[in-house]
């Protein structure tokens, strides 16, 4: 039987109101204790690990958006994270995962990396002789090349606190990689590169684009360090810290974020802003000015809302180019720098788009096709069913064989929810013992715990769709009916 070495998940968005792993009642109020879906996933993974005969607990890899730091408070996100930690590691005699976790922050928890980066810089300053050192923007790809010190990142402090509160003696350690983590076999013939995936999308490379506009002599292909140096502040501000402006449920950014994804609601927001800044008059000039500004506001809102996760394909043409360029530039550069060559077989595991899939891509500079595995997301972004979206768990076996276990897709018909092993539509012709075992023995969709988890996913997704619809209706009504405040209203 196969040995499960790593279990990879992303886009849990713990604490977010649209996450199926956040415990909410029917009306969307937070409830104490772990969400039923979170408990079901942990129980199903325990079942799978035991059935596989794995003797050493697998290592958990979380590659981005573990926390929701843009659309909820740190307290809410930390409480939900504590429930996950307690469920997985609370029993010190029977932990689901190994006591070391590999964490690759994403755009929604990018600030976790910033805290680590600033601490590493403090160490560099203490060790520097005369000259002030430059601040590092990325970590090495390989685990053994990470700086070694006694620093415990915030995610580790939160985990330790949760375990202590639960009376557990488990000692848990988090190692933070950013933006890429590499798993390599002994001969460096096979590698699995794990990242969040936001750099595949043009919006997250916006500052690099502007940099290249004003300095056209700059080489177009960037290293991973240059890419992060250009864009880190933009990502950290807009997706990981700005959303925490305000207090609790009254914070404006989470409401605006949801309203911006729906045309009617966004029209109401644009009209409200114009009512405050440019009151309606009979002046032809003022009416023309207002019309132009309204069109511009709608255009900007549409551009922000039209991100990769809302595209009608698993990857847009822009993201497909971004994937190829990211592999050819930043990823290949790290592989060559740390291994001296590109392994014969490379798999890329990422998330971010909330659309799980597995497919091969021919990429310049690689011996064979790179198999891209997307782990999807555990959130509901729209009030209607989106069948391309859902959640997968990516499993890595002892020989770095990568298999995608799709937990659910957001189908319009609840009876179509079904756990499945994802087929790969491209790749080298080689034995796949781990995939074969999972598809034929390890996961039987009509049996428990898989059938029950699929049914629970269907109910939870539908509940989140209803709750999102209610929040949008309330927000739109408030925007349209509250009297204008204007700049002097405060």
């Amino acid at each position: 039987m196969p040995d499960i070495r790593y279990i990879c998940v992303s886009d849990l968005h713990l604490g977010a109101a649209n996450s199926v792993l956040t415990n909410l009642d029917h009306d969307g109020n937070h409830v104490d204790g772990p969400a039923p879906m979170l408990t079901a996933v942990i129980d199903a993974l325990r079942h799978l690990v035991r059935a596989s005969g794995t003797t050493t607990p697998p290592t958990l890899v979380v590659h981005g958006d573990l926390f929701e730091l843009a659309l909820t408070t740190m307290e809410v996100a930390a409480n939900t994270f504590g429930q996950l930690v307690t469920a997985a590691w609370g029993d010190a005699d029977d932990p689901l995962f190994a006591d070391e976790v590999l964490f690759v922050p994403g755009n929604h928890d990018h600030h976790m990396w910033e805290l680590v980066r600033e601490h590493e810089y403090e160490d560099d300053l203490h060790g520097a002789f005369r000259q002030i050192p430059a601040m590092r923007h990325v970590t090495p790809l390989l685990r053994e090349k990470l700086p070694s010190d006694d620093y415990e990142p915030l995610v580790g402090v939160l985990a330790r606190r949760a375990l202590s509160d639960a009376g557990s003696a488990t000692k848990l350690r988090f190692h933070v990689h950013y933006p890429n983590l590499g798993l390599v076999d002994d001969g460096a013939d096979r590698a699995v590169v794990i990242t969040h995936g936001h750099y595949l999308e043009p919006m997250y490379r916006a500052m690099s684009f502007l940099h290249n506009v004003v300095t056209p002599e700059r080489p177009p292909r960037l290293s991973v360090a240059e890419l992060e140096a250009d864009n880190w502040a933009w990502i950290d501000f807009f997706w990981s810290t700005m959303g925490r402006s305000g207090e609790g449920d009254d914070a404006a950014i989470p409401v605006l974020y949801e309203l911006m994804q729906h045309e009617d609601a966004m029209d109401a927001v644009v009209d409200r802003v114009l009512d405050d800044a440019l009151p309606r008059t009979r002046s032809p000039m003022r009416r023309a000015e207002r019309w132009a500004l309204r069109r511009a506001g709608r255009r900007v809102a549409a551009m922000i809302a039209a991100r990769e996760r809302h595209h009608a394909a698993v990857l847009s043409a822009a993201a497909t180019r971004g994937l190829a360029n990211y592999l050819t530039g930043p990823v290949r550069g790290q592989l060559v720098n740390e291994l001296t060559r590109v392994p014969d077989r490379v798999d890329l595991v990422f998330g971010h788009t909330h659309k799980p899939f597995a497919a091969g891509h021919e990429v310049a500079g690689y011996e064979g096709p790179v198999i891209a595995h997307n782990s999807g997301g555990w959130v509901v972004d729209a009030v209607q069913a989106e069948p391309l979206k859902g959640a997968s768990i990516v499993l890595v076996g002892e020989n770095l064989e990568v298999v995608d276990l799709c937990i659910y897709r957001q189908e319009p018909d609840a009876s179509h929810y079904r756990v499945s092993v994802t087929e790969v539509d491209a790749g080298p012709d080689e034995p796949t013992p781990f995939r074969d075992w999972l598809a034929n023995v390890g996961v039987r969709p009509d049996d428990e715990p898989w059938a029950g988890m699929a049914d629970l996913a269907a109910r939870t997704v539908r509940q989140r769709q209803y709750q999102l619809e209610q929040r949008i209706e309330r927000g739109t009504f408030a925007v349209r009916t509250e009297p204008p405040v204007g700049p002097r209203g405060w």
Side-chain angles (χ1 to χ4, degrees):
M1 287 188 291
D3 188 20
I4 302 175
R5 294 277 302 277
Y6 300 92
I7 295 178
C8 309
V9 295
S10 75
D11 295 271
L12 280 65
H13 292 271
L14 297 178
N18 63 344
S19 172
V20 299
L21 303 177
T22 301
N23 199 8
L24 306 174
D25 63 18
H26 177 75
D27 296 320
N29 302 307
H30 288 273
V31 180
D32 291 337
M37 192 65 195
L38 189 153
T39 301
V41 171
I42 294 295
D43 290 346
L45 286 175
R46 285 189 188 278
H47 172 86
L48 184 64
V49 171
R50 287 168 180 165
S52 73
T54 299
T55 56
T56 302
T59 297
L60 177 65
V61 181
V62 184
H63 52 107
D65 292 358
L66 167 63
F67 294 93
E68 180 53 78
L69 298 185
L71 303 176
T72 191
T73 64
M74 172 59 84
E75 299 93 307
V76 171
N79 282 336
T80 310
F81 173 64
Q83 294 160 5
L84 168 64
V85 169
T86 302
W89 287 277
D91 184 353
D93 296 324
D94 187 27
L96 172 57
F97 303 114
D99 58 7
E100 291 197 339
V101 181
L102 304 179
F103 177 40
V104 184
N107 54 304
H108 280 259
D109 48 19
H110 182 275
H111 199 64
M112 289 292 189
W113 160 239
E114 283 306 305
L115 296 174
V116 173
R117 188 172 78 103
E118 291 179 358
H119 173 80
E120 289 182 354
Y121 189 57
E122 290 179 10
D123 283 352
D124 291 345
L125 287 173
H126 287 308
F129 181 69
R130 293 185 181 175
Q131 186 173 359
I132 300 295
M135 199 170 189
R136 289 194 296 269
H137 286 283
V138 300
T139 66
L141 184 72
L142 303 180
R143 166 74 184 88
E144 57 269 23
K145 293 183 180 293
L146 275 183
S148 58
D149 60 23
D150 295 328
Y151 174 65
E152 186 175 22
L154 177 58
V155 61
V157 174
L158 293 172
R160 178 165 51 81
R161 179 187 175 102
L163 291 170
S164 175
D165 289 347
S168 173
T170 302
K171 303 298 182 183
L172 197 56
R173 177 84 174 171
F174 278 75
H175 302 283
V176 180
H177 286 256
Y178 186 83
N180 302 323
L181 161 68
L183 310 175
V184 182
D185 65 7
D186 292 338
D189 296 317
R190 185 163 188 166
V192 179
V193 177
I194 304 172
T195 190
H196 179 58
H198 50 286
Y199 277 132
L200 277 60
E201 192 170 352
M203 180 180 292
Y204 298 89
R205 307 190 304 270
M207 297 302 108
S208 292
F209 171 77
L210 293 177
H211 192 158
N212 291 341
V213 167
V214 299
T215 56
E217 69 279 4
R218 188 188 195 204
R221 184 164 292 162
L222 302 177
S223 70
V224 67
E226 290 169 327
L227 189 63
E228 175 67 8
D230 285 352
N231 298 281
W232 73 269
W234 157 244
I235 293 171
D236 199 57
F237 164 68
F238 203 82
W239 283 278
S240 195
T241 57
M242 187 179 74
R244 289 183 284 167
S245 302
E247 291 291 336
D249 296 334
D250 295 328
I253 298 302
V255 177
L256 282 172
Y257 180 86
E258 292 183 334
L259 294 182
M260 286 174 66
Q261 300 177 65
H262 298 267
E263 187 174 345
D264 291 343
M266 198 59 231
D267 283 348
V269 172
V270 172
D271 284 338
R272 175 63 184 271
V273 171
L274 290 176
D275 284 343
D276 284 354
L278 198 68
R280 301 172 191 263
T281 70
R282 294 184 178 182
S283 165
M285 183 64 69
R286 183 58 60 87
R287 290 171 64 185
E289 186 179 11
R290 182 185 174 92
W291 177 85
L293 288 173
R294 189 174 191 270
R295 283 181 62 88
R298 291 184 64 182
R299 177 66 174 167
V300 170
M303 290 174 62
I304 294 174
R307 291 168 301 146
E308 185 62 29
R309 70 181 59 167
H310 301 295
H311 197 272
V314 290
L315 278 184
S316 67
T320 301
R321 291 192 299 272
L323 172 64
N325 290 333
Y326 192 70
L327 286 166
T328 304
V331 172
R332 189 177 186 279
Q334 281 192 300
L335 289 170
V336 171
N337 287 340
E338 297 183 34
L339 298 175
T340 71
R341 69 181 183 89
V342 177
D344 298 335
R345 169 68 186 269
V346 177
D347 291 74
L348 179 74
V349 178
F350 69 106
H352 180 65
T353 68
H354 301 174
K355 293 181 281 190
F357 72 91
H361 293 263
E362 297 289 345
V363 181
Y366 290 80
E367 183 70 21
V370 176
I371 310 300
H373 308 260
N374 190 289
S375 53
W378 300 81
V379 295
V380 176
D381 298 310
V383 298
Q384 71 278 2
E386 297 183 294
L388 287 179
K389 291 186 179 179
S392 279
I393 296 172
V394 178
L395 307 170
V396 182
E398 53 190 328
N399 296 318
L400 296 189
E401 183 186 346
V402 183
V403 186
D404 305 67
L405 180 61
C406 184
I407 303 302
Y408 68 90
R409 293 183 185 276
Q410 295 179 24
E411 300 284 356
D413 187 337
S415 65
H416 292 169
Y417 277 64
R418 186 178 177 85
V419 178
S420 62
V421 176
T422 304
E423 293 293 330
V424 178
D425 59 11
D429 185 15
E430 62 180 31
T432 55
F434 188 23
R435 176 182 302 278
D436 296 342
W437 179 83
L438 278 170
N440 299 318
V441 180
V443 177
R444 299 181 183 276
D446 295 326
D447 296 343
E448 296 300 334
W450 312 109
M453 184 168 60
D455 290 341
L456 178 60
R459 295 195 303 273
T460 308
V461 168
R462 182 65 195 97
Q463 183 189 63
R464 295 295 181 270
Q465 290 169 338
Y466 166 78
Q467 292 165 346
L468 176 59
E469 187 173 30
Q470 296 299 304
R471 292 196 299 274
I472 291 169
E473 288 181 359
R474 289 195 299 269
T476 305
F477 177 80
V479 168
R480 285 178 171 158
T481 58
E482 290 295 325
V485 176
R488 294 177 300 278
W490 59 278

